[in-house]
Amino acid sequence: MQTTQLYPLKEEMNLFTTTTSSSSSSSSKSNFNLFTSSQNINKHISKFPFIIPCKTTHLTLPPCYSQQKSSHNTKTEAVKNADVGIEEKEDSFNKDRLVVRRPVKELSDEEVGDVAGSGGGDGGVNSSGIIDATLNEFAKKMPMFEPERMESSSGEKPLTVNLDLALYKAKILTKNFRYQEAEEILEKCIDYWPEDGRPYVALGKVLSKQSKVAEARAIYAKGSQATQGENPYIWQCWAVLENKLGNIGKARELFDASTVADKGHIAAWHGWAVLELRQGNIKKARQLLAKGLKFCGGNEYIYQTLALLEAKANRYEQARNLFRQATKCNPKSCASWIAWSQMEMQQENNLAARQLFERAVQASPKNRFAWHVWGIFEANMGFIDKGKKLLKIGHAVNPRDPVLLQSLALLEYKYSTANLARKLFRRASEIDPRHQPVWIAWGWMEWKEGNLDTARELYERALSIDSTTESAARCLQAWGVLEQRVGNLSAARRLFRSSLNINSQSYITWMTWAQLEEDQGNSVRAEEIRNLYFQQRTEVVDDASWVMGFMDIIDPALDRIKQLLNLEKSSYKEPSEYSPGDNESTDDEASVSPYSGLYVGNDLESASGFDLDDFIRNKLNLDPDQLDVLLEKTSNPSVVRKVNYPRRRIFRPEDKTAATLA
């Protein structure tokens, strides 16, 4: 038997072996006899799309050797075959590396032909054998991956940390009334980070401040879709917007969506409860506040609202307990201290009210509401100079607030001169031209001074801002009284009617109109007006039965809340008698509790131990003797004095909820 063997042409090719039998060559029909001639082999090899490395220009079959040769010749030939195989492997590797087509570069037909010519020798394989023409044309039309282009496009998106910086910058711009620049920054944030809900919330608030209601609503809708409805802050801000516009039903739906997105979002529960309170749904509001405590735990705003409800129902001991719990949850909550002080002020616990006002300004030295309410309280108690001083301090730390200047102008008009008051009114109107109470108070002063035409112009200016608000109703009522005093009764009646169309629950407006008719001898008409008021008024009756059902809603595990609320006990303990809980330290209790003897005594002349001058000098860097000078320096509203405050920590976890609810 004779064996004929072909040497390997490439690693990827199989060995073709043809076995020929001398006795049965005609009967054997093996498939290997297709390659017994060099012509058939060349014809078959030309169909492969890659280049076959070869030592010779023309492929020829190696000579056949008989098995009867000597073993020496056989070994010598094996060594030669091994050398040839190694050389062929090296050529195959080098030539294959040259032929590889890089993805970032597309070869033309000429370049393909050159590469084929260099790899195939002297025309052993033509260019059509490298790649099919149709496949080449198809490859040209396919999009190719280009790393440089992808890197340049991805490099345009900033890092995630830039989102926080951009939001902070937009906040500062909004605070300085540079709304257009803030909008541009926030729109870029939405383009770069469409899945983050914070830019939508910030942009919606900026648009709302500019009375761009439709744009703000569209931003909130876009944000809720981008976040797939899972961001409770967007739903809550949208609900607040609809509530301000009077869309109560829509606001309820949005508050509900916010609580569904996150049951632990305390701002949604509180905002929804406040909405129900304004609608007179006391029971529903209490249920929402209770759910807020259940899902979110203790919160100063929840306790504060519950305390105000208790105070409204004349349950003052329980209200004090709730206020105390609110201040324990967040000793820096200025709103809780102010609300507590106002309740004590209504109960004529003036010394306690003053001490609570002191705690309020210590909790938040820059809070404009604390300085404003405290200043009005001192003025009402007869301490006019101290009231003015407090208002001036508030204006020094809040030079862009028109309310402080408005109250200061009224005090100056009552206890000083009208010219100084007029100067302060003008300055307040320049700070915020859209603040209606400033124009109304200014118009009232001009009416008292006998400048009727000026007063009418100021009233008209206030109504031109917005004729549907509560301030507009008060403006119409004041204007009606003006026309009544000068004898324009028909105009006065129209103004009273317009005021009641805005706020039908105004007792003063109804009784003023009835008195007008009574003075004109229309007793029957006056009685009809009084009857109309009692028929259409909405009387809210607070049921005390909520006390039994309130604790049933709260999770039974929160026994500590039940103990702190202490709703079953009617006796009231002084703050000094309260002892801290088992898990609370005495130092924390002492730092949170009000001063001992807070509710004892009513002598405002006695010293409370709080040095106001030393406080503003150390905490606010203000000179008490230079307050009038600072007031004159801020006569130009475009120039805002920069006060250097002591350095403080930027991040305070205890203020996070308060910032959310603000």
Side-chain angles (χ1 to χ4, degrees), residues 82 108 116 208 227-228 293 355 443 501 581 596 627 644:
S108 62
S208 299
T227 57
Q228 300 180 357
L293 288 177
Q355 293 175 349
N501 288 335
S596 60
L627 293 177
N644 296 323

Side-chain angles (χ1 to χ4, degrees), residues 36-197:
T36 56
S37 65
S38 61
Q39 182 178 1
N40 292 335
I41 291 176
N42 288 330
K43 182 179 180 180
H44 184 78
I45 291 175
S46 63
K47 296 181 180 180
F48 286 89
F50 52 85
I51 301 174
I52 301 175
C54 185
K55 294 293 292 183
T56 61
T57 306
H58 300 284
L59 182 63
T60 57
L61 288 174
C64 297
Y65 296 92
S66 175
Q67 290 182 349
Q68 298 178 358
K69 295 284 184 180
S70 64
S71 60
H72 176 74
N73 295 334
T74 304
K75 293 180 180 179
T76 304
E77 190 66 21
V79 173
K80 293 181 179 180
N81 293 340
D83 295 336
V84 173
I86 294 173
E87 294 176 359
E88 289 174 349
K89 290 180 181 179
E90 293 177 355
D91 291 342
S92 175
F93 175 77
N94 294 332
K95 290 183 172 59
D96 288 344
R97 185 174 59 181
L98 293 175
V99 175
V100 172
R101 179 171 177 265
R102 298 182 180 275
V104 296
K105 183 178 180 181
E106 185 174 312
L107 298 177
S108 62
D109 293 338
E110 297 178 356
E111 292 174 340
V112 171
D114 295 340
V115 174
S118 62
D122 299 331
V125 181
N126 55 17
S127 62
S128 63
I130 297 176
I131 186 170
D132 187 77
T134 306
L135 184 60
N136 189 17
E137 294 295 332
F138 178 75
K140 292 179 180 180
K141 300 178 182 180
M142 293 295 294
M144 299 179 63
F145 174 74
E146 298 182 7
E148 295 181 356
R149 184 178 303 174
M150 295 297 295
E151 291 176 359
S152 62
S153 61
S154 61
E156 294 178 358
K157 183 176 181 180
L159 298 176
T160 308
V161 69
N162 290 278
L163 175 60
D164 298 330
L165 298 175
L167 292 174
Y168 178 76
K169 184 176 181 180
K171 180 181 178 180
I172 298 301
L173 292 174
T174 303
K175 188 176 180 180
N176 295 329
F177 303 96
R178 298 165 63 180
Y179 297 124
Q180 187 63 32
E181 299 178 33
E183 289 181 22
E184 295 176 358
I185 293 176
L186 294 173
E187 288 174 356
K188 290 182 180 179
C189 291
I190 292 176
D191 293 337
Y192 287 132
W193 297 278
E195 71 284 352
D196 198 301

Side-chain angles (χ1 to χ4, degrees), residues 389-438:
K389 183 178 182 179
L390 293 170
L391 292 175
K392 291 176 182 178
I393 294 173
H395 175 69
V397 295
N398 298 278
R400 302 291 303 181
D401 183 55
V403 180
L404 291 165
L405 287 177
Q406 172 191 336
S407 299
L408 184 59
L410 291 174
L411 286 179
E412 295 292 350
Y413 171 69
K414 186 175 182 180
Y415 299 101
S416 182
T417 61
N419 292 331
L420 181 57
R422 191 176 289 110
K423 182 179 179 181
L424 294 173
F425 275 128
R426 183 175 295 105
R427 191 181 310 169
S429 64
E430 291 173 352
I431 291 176
D432 188 1
R434 297 188 58 83
H435 189 67
Q436 287 180 302
V438 170

Side-chain angles (χ1 to χ4, degrees), residues 327-384:
T327 54
K328 286 180 181 179
C329 288
N330 185 8
K332 298 296 183 180
S333 177
C334 186
S336 299
W337 294 110
I338 294 176
W340 192 355
S341 62
Q342 287 181 320
M343 186 195 74
E344 299 297 344
M345 185 174 58
Q346 293 175 358
Q347 295 300 307
E348 297 183 355
N349 298 326
N350 297 327
L351 181 58
R354 173 180 286 179
Q355 293 175 349
L356 290 169
F357 280 126
E358 294 171 356
R359 295 300 300 268
V361 296
Q362 292 178 48
S364 180
K366 294 177 60 178
N367 191 285
R368 57 192 177 98
F369 299 103
W371 295 108
H372 179 256
V373 180
W374 189 9
I376 298 300
F377 166 75
E378 295 293 347
N380 292 334
M381 293 296 102
F383 301 95
I384 307 303

